[in-house]
């Protein structure tokens, strides 16, 4: 069986370094907000081209803390509306709700699965104060258009980059000079949330997350909010939470961060083969602008196809020893947890959730396995 994602194999090259980091953390005796977290925050901020990085317990908390930080700074108020793509993973919606804000769903483009900027303006009301742009499956949303709308309507921009570590806007540049997912370089009102869940392109060995921003006030506020609302121990400025990036997980991430661009490029090589070699009228391939050598706006956290008979195709692939996953089977507005939305209609979103199927893609997938997957799909 070709696994959808072999995390053990992905992490095997780092095992010796992980063991060394474990010994170093144990020897140091400092387990919360220590030197490993500081090193990672500095390194990841530099990698993203941002001034500040604040490690959090997970990616959901990173999003929640951005919104709560803006509330503390008076830039948002409870009850304000936040534009968000209707087909996003539920965490994007939960973050808005947990900050006592109101999600306003906007349909995506069927071709890219990202929010359709042309549909945003019609959903803006006097209560709309922010746009949450989600870089779904690893492909950057259309940030130039989104930022233009935000500036015209005086809206904050928050980015959910949980699936887009290392994606770059400047497609013809090198990783050292490109603008990565941090749109703060283009729009001072923007802040970015990341997840380091084990299956992400930059994955820890447990939960972890981070916020990157150029806003010094927001960074300082989130640093306090993640630590019980305390900037100085036992003195609490806000009603905060306990959501700190674990020292050991930060140590593991410090090992893996230097190899992220290499692993992302391997994903692009595999994706390019899928895009050019899968030839079956029953299968709809993703629309990406990635055929040029240096185009880097997609890091292929997932390679998502569509088909009208998903169950049949998934069973067929499983019978041929290829494991696949559905991202995601139920759209947010149909979730049992959100009964007030169950009557809403989002036909493009519904079509996506009914048809998508994710193929194996990872830095450890071999070219022979890619060839086998392509051959089996073309025979379907």
């Amino acid at each position: 069986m070709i696994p959808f994602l072999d995390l053990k194999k992905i992490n095997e090259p780092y095992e010796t370094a992980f063991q060394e980091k474990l010994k170093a953390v144990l020897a140091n005796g400092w387990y919360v907000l220590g030197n490993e977290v500081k090193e990672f925050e500095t390194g990841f901020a530099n990698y993203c081209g941002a001034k500040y990085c604040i490690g959090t317990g997970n990616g959901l908390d990173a999003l929640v803390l951005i919104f709560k930080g803006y509330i503390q700074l008076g830039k948002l108020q409870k009850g304000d509306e936040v534009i968000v793509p209707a087909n996003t993973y539920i965490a994007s919606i939960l973050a808005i709700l947990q900050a006592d804000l109101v999600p306003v769903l906007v349909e995506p483009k069927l071709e890219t699965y990202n929010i359709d900027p042309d549909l945003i303006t019609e959903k803006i009301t006097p209560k709309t104060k922010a746009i949450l742009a989600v870089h779904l499956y690893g492909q950057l949303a259309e940030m130039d258009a989104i930022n233009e709308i935000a500036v015209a309507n005086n809206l904050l921009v928050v980015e959910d980059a949980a699936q887009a570590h290392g994606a770059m806007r400047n497609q013809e540049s090198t990783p050292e000079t490109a603008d990565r997912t941090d749109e703060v370089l283009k729009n001072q009102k923007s802040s970015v949330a990341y997840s380091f869940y084990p299956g992400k392109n930059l994955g820890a060995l447990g939960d972890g997350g981070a916020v990157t921003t150029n806003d010094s006030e927001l960074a300082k506020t989130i640093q306090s909010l993640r630590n019980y609302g305390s900037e100085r121990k036992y003195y609490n400025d806000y009603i905060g939470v306990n959501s700190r990036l674990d020292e050991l997980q930060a140590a593991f991430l410090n090992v893996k961060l230097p190899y992220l661009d290499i692993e992302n490029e391997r994903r692009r090589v595999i994706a390019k083969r899928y895009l050019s070699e899968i030839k079956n009228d029953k299968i709809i391939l993703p629309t990406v602008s990635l055929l040029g050598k240096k185009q880097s706006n997609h890091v292929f956290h997932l390679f998502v196809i569509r088909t009208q008979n998903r169950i049949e195709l998934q069973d067929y692939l499983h019978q041929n020893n290829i494991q696949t996953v559905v991202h995601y089977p139920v759209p947010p507005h149909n979730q049992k947890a959100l009964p007030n939305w169950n009557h809403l209609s989002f036909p493009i979103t519904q079509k996506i959730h009914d048809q998508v199927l994710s193929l194996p893609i990872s830095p450890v997938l071999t070219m022979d396995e890619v060839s086998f997957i392509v051959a089996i799909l073309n025979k379907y």
Side-chain angles (χ1 to χ4, degrees):
M1 177 70 72
I2 298 175
F4 175 73
L5 185 64
D6 191 337
L7 289 177
K8 186 175 186 301
K9 192 173 181 181
I10 286 173
N11 285 307
E12 275 178 356
Y14 306 112
E15 285 184 6
T16 299
F18 287 163
Q19 293 289 351
E20 292 173 356
K21 283 289 189 181
L22 173 59
K23 291 178 182 178
V25 170
L26 289 173
N28 185 46
W30 193 289
Y31 309 127
V32 177
L33 295 182
N35 289 332
E36 292 291 347
V37 170
K38 292 177 183 177
E39 179 183 336
F40 178 75
E41 288 177 338
T42 299
F44 196 63
N46 291 337
Y47 175 83
C48 294
K51 290 182 180 178
Y52 307 101
C53 172
I54 307 98
T56 63
N58 53 68
L60 172 58
D61 284 356
L63 276 174
V64 174
L65 287 169
I66 289 175
F67 289 124
K68 288 189 174 182
Y70 281 134
I71 290 173
Q72 291 293 344
L73 293 171
K75 296 182 179 181
L76 288 175
Q77 295 182 5
K78 294 180 180 181
D80 284 345
E81 294 178 351
V82 180
I83 300 287
V84 63
N87 65 315
T88 187
Y89 180 57
I90 193 68
S92 308
I93 307 294
L94 294 177
I96 298 170
L97 292 171
Q98 288 182 18
D100 294 317
L101 302 169
V102 179
V104 176
L105 305 183
V106 172
E107 289 267 55
K109 286 187 175 180
L110 185 59
E111 297 78 17
T112 65
Y113 310 122
N114 280 329
I115 193 168
D116 188 342
D118 293 337
L119 302 179
I120 292 177
T121 302
E122 65 188 50
K123 291 294 185 79
I124 295 175
T125 75
K127 289 187 176 182
T128 307
K129 301 300 178 183
I131 300 172
L132 176 54
V134 182
H135 307 306
L136 198 64
Y137 305 149
Q139 181 164 220
L140 294 185
E142 296 176 48
M143 292 309 302
D144 287 340
I146 291 170
N147 282 332
E148 185 176 332
I149 294 168
V151 170
N153 293 276
N154 194 30
L155 304 178
L156 295 167
V157 175
V158 178
E159 296 177 64
D160 183 342
Q163 300 182 357
H165 312 72
M168 295 179 289
R169 293 186 65 199
N170 187 346
Q171 298 177 2
E172 295 304 321
S173 64
T174 63
E176 291 76 19
T177 60
D179 295 339
R180 298 183 184 275
T181 52
D182 280 355
E183 296 298 326
V184 289
L185 298 175
K186 300 296 181 183
N187 181 357
Q188 284 285 347
K189 293 186 177 181
S190 179
S191 294
V192 189
Y194 290 90
S195 166
F196 306 119
Y197 181 79
K200 305 299 186 183
N201 290 33
L202 180 61
L205 302 190
D207 274 319
V211 174
T212 55
T213 182
N214 279 357
D215 186 331
S216 60
E217 286 187 329
L218 180 65
K220 185 178 180 180
T221 303
I222 292 175
Q223 283 174 338
S224 178
L225 284 171
R226 73 169 176 182
N227 190 35
Y228 300 103
S230 174
E231 187 175 339
R232 184 162 59 112
K233 195 169 185 178
Y234 303 132
Y235 293 83
N236 303 81
D237 301 314
Y238 310 109
I239 298 176
V241 297
N242 177 12
S243 181
R244 304 168 297 207
L245 178 62
D246 182 78
E247 182 75 358
L248 190 57
Q249 297 303 335
F252 296 152
L253 291 169
N254 283 328
V255 171
K256 297 180 72 174
L257 179 58
Y259 302 96
L260 177 56
D261 284 335
I262 295 171
E263 294 193 353
N264 281 344
E265 187 56 34
R266 176 72 175 185
R267 290 173 179 270
R268 293 188 185 103
V269 169
I270 294 168
K272 188 174 181 179
R273 286 200 59 192
Y274 280 155
L275 289 167
S276 61
E277 297 177 28
I278 296 174
K279 300 183 183 300
N280 188 323
D281 292 340
K282 298 177 183 177
I283 296 169
I284 302 170
L285 299 173
T287 300
V288 297
S289 55
L290 194 81
L291 295 180
K293 183 178 179 181
K294 294 182 180 179
Q295 293 180 318
S296 305
N297 67 316
H298 203 323
V299 292
F300 287 99
H301 172 61
L302 299 170
F303 190 93
V304 180
I305 62 174
R306 286 192 295 116
T307 183
Q308 291 188 359
N309 298 299
R310 180 173 64 203
I311 295 176
E312 179 183 283
L313 177 57
Q314 191 170 33
D315 288 345
Y316 166 79
L317 291 171
H318 188 266
Q319 291 166 10
N320 284 277
N321 296 313
I322 300 169
Q323 186 181 42
T324 59
V325 177
V326 177
H327 295 92
Y328 302 96
V330 182
H333 72 278
N334 283 342
Q335 293 287 355
K336 183 179 179 181
L338 302 168
N340 292 338
W341 289 359
N342 292 170
H343 69 285
L344 299 177
S345 176
F346 295 96
I348 296 175
T349 292
Q350 192 66 58
K351 186 172 186 177
I352 289 171
H353 285 263
D354 289 344
Q355 295 184 349
V356 291
L357 187 66
S358 299
L359 302 180
I361 188 167
S362 80
V364 297
L365 193 67
T366 69
M367 288 299 108
D368 285 344
E369 288 173 328
V370 174
S371 297
F372 178 75
I373 293 168
V374 169
I376 293 300
L377 284 169
N378 287 342
K379 289 178 183 177
Y380 172 66

